[in-house]
Amino acid sequence: MGVAAALGACSLGQQTPTLGVYSGRHYNTDQLLYRRFTEQTGIRIKLLEGTDNSLIERVRSEGSTTPADVLVLVDAARLEKATQLGLFQPLRSAALDRDVPANLRDSQGRWFALTRRVRLIVANPQRVDVGAIRTYEDLARPALKGQLCLRDNKSVYNQSLVADRLIQKGHAATTTWLRGLIANVNQPFFTSDIPMARAVAKGDCGVALVNSYYVARLLSGQSGAADRALASALKVILPDPSHVNVSGAGITRASRHPEAAARLLEFLASPSGGKGYAEANNEYPLKGYGDNPILRRFGPFRDDGVPIQELGAHNREAVQLMQANGWN
Ligand SMILES: [Fe+2]
């Protein structure tokens, strides 16, 4: 036993390694979680934060010399982009198979989801009949003409939503839906979710599509009492079924510490580690709805079950369809 234990310790290297983590997430509480990982394992973390696309480009250009062992990205489309560029190496892990549902990880183990978010509907009850809005289809009905606010087609969140529709409904039905949606837009396209949620709350728009964590952030008071008061006027609708997206991570192909990197992924995907990652950004854990009181008030949602990997695979087709149908 003593020899086996010693060999086990040796396999991680004489000294415990320091892991390079490049992360498209940027929340202070993520760092508390990394510190907890270091306390538990002795493995230190050197963190570099940036935008998802800049980190993908950086790992790509650094090639075999990248100091990044783990790349954390937000949204299925970015995870797929990094995968297609060959930036990840595959990992098989019983712990990750157990903790990450199969539709929330790459089939070859190149990345694993760590948190979930829903692209939900916010509505202003003064402007629209909120009882008549229950699905993404409802947003394309003529009754909402001039009421719908949307982010522009550069939003990866919207690209993934359209990819989701393509997978479930096919090309023809998605085209019809897109045309109905665009016919209802009566505003310039927004460039981010938060101002759009505020516009709905103020009555400048009747209804909009935003990520769950942005609404929760406004309601939490994190961005001030004025935003909290404003957001309390919003009616939050979790579409049935809901389009779910993720943040996730994989081990870089050039990692010199894949075993330590696997331990970090297992820690972040575990119920306790994952709880910290989800809480940091008002996200849902990989399973269940978590215990964030604001998200609990939104109520449960029914995941449409589309594999996250498929969202990335349909990204290009989704963008083309958006452009062809006036989603600028
Ligand atoms: Fe975001």
Side-chain angles (χ1 to χ4, degrees):
M1 282 301 275
V3 173
L7 285 172
C10 276
S11 69
L12 276 177
Q14 281 307 103
Q15 313 104 329
T16 46
T18 296
L19 282 177
V21 175
Y22 285 5
S23 177
R25 291 170 54 96
H26 32 82
Y27 314 109
N28 290 334
T29 39
D30 282 2
Q31 308 208 22
L32 298 176
L33 200 59
Y34 299 141
R35 228 169 287 153
R36 190 142 64 79
F37 173 73
T38 301
E39 282 162 17
Q40 285 182 16
T41 62
I43 300 166
R44 285 182 300 275
I45 286 176
K46 190 161 189 301
L47 179 66
L48 176 77
E49 293 180 333
T51 64
D52 296 87
N53 286 331
S54 71
L55 295 176
I56 288 172
E57 184 49 38
R58 186 162 175 150
V59 173
R60 195 184 68 80
S61 64
E62 286 169 344
S64 61
T65 64
T66 184
D69 296 285
V70 170
L71 178 59
V72 183
L73 297 170
V74 170
D75 197 283
R78 274 99 169 230
L79 288 162
E80 177 67 10
K81 185 178 172 190
T83 304
Q84 290 310 317
L85 288 168
L87 303 186
F88 292 132
Q89 60 173 283
L91 167 67
R92 283 309 308 268
S93 153
L96 288 168
D97 283 353
R98 182 192 62 219
D99 290 336
V100 186
N103 68 317
L104 303 181
R105 49 181 150 91
D106 177 59
S107 58
Q108 295 177 47
R110 292 167 295 189
W111 55 262
F112 300 84
L114 299 171
T115 61
R116 297 184 300 158
R117 65 274 298 278
V118 171
R119 196 119 184 100
L120 56 68
I121 298 168
V122 287
N124 185 319
Q126 316 272 34
R127 282 199 54 159
V128 296
D129 175 8
V130 295
I133 305 168
R134 296 173 53 187
T135 65
Y136 298 107
E137 281 84 2
D138 290 334
L139 298 179
R141 297 196 200 292
L144 290 179
K145 194 158 190 67
Q147 299 285 4
L148 179 63
C149 287
L150 287 178
R151 256 178 96 158
D152 62 34
N153 69 18
K154 286 189 269 314
S155 159
V156 74
Y157 306 139
N158 286 337
Q159 294 170 8
S160 288
L161 173 65
V162 175
D164 182 275
R165 308 307 300 169
L166 275 170
I167 294 157
Q168 289 192 85
K169 311 283 176 183
H171 198 275
T174 302
T175 304
T176 305
W177 174 72
L178 274 177
R179 289 184 181 153
L181 219 54
I182 299 308
N184 286 343
V185 175
N186 193 23
Q187 294 270 334
F189 290 97
F190 284 72
T191 54
S192 53
D193 277 19
I194 290 263
M196 197 166 53
R198 289 192 188 112
V200 176
K202 287 179 187 155
D204 297 335
C205 312
V207 63
L209 280 163
V210 299
N211 278 358
S212 44
Y213 57 86
Y214 290 120
V215 187
R217 192 185 300 168
L218 291 172
L219 286 167
S220 74
Q222 252 174 286
S223 57
D227 268 347
R228 176 160 50 192
L230 201 56
S232 66
L234 292 170
K235 168 73 180 160
V236 175
I237 301 162
L238 286 157
D240 185 26
S242 285
H243 161 55
V244 172
N245 210 319
V246 300
S247 72
I251 303 174
T252 62
R253 185 150 64 163
S255 171
R256 278 180 282 268
H257 311 292
E259 290 170 38
R263 291 184 70 180
L264 177 62
L265 293 190
E266 288 166 354
F267 171 79
L268 293 173
S270 71
S272 73
K275 184 169 183 284
Y277 236 19
E279 275 173 1
N281 186 34
N282 292 296
E283 287 176 275
Y284 296 100
L286 292 172
K287 295 176 184 172
Y289 305 102
D291 50 16
N292 181 317
I294 296 169
L295 294 182
R296 291 202 81 92
R297 250 187 283 145
F298 293 175
F301 60 87
R302 188 164 65 93
D303 183 341
D304 67 23
V306 170
I308 297 298
Q309 187 173 8
E310 290 292 305
L311 295 176
H314 286 77
N315 179 266
R316 185 185 300 263
E317 189 185 352
V319 174
Q320 283 168 353
L321 209 58
M322 291 164 89
Q323 287 169 344
N325 288 285
W327 195 329
N328 297 320

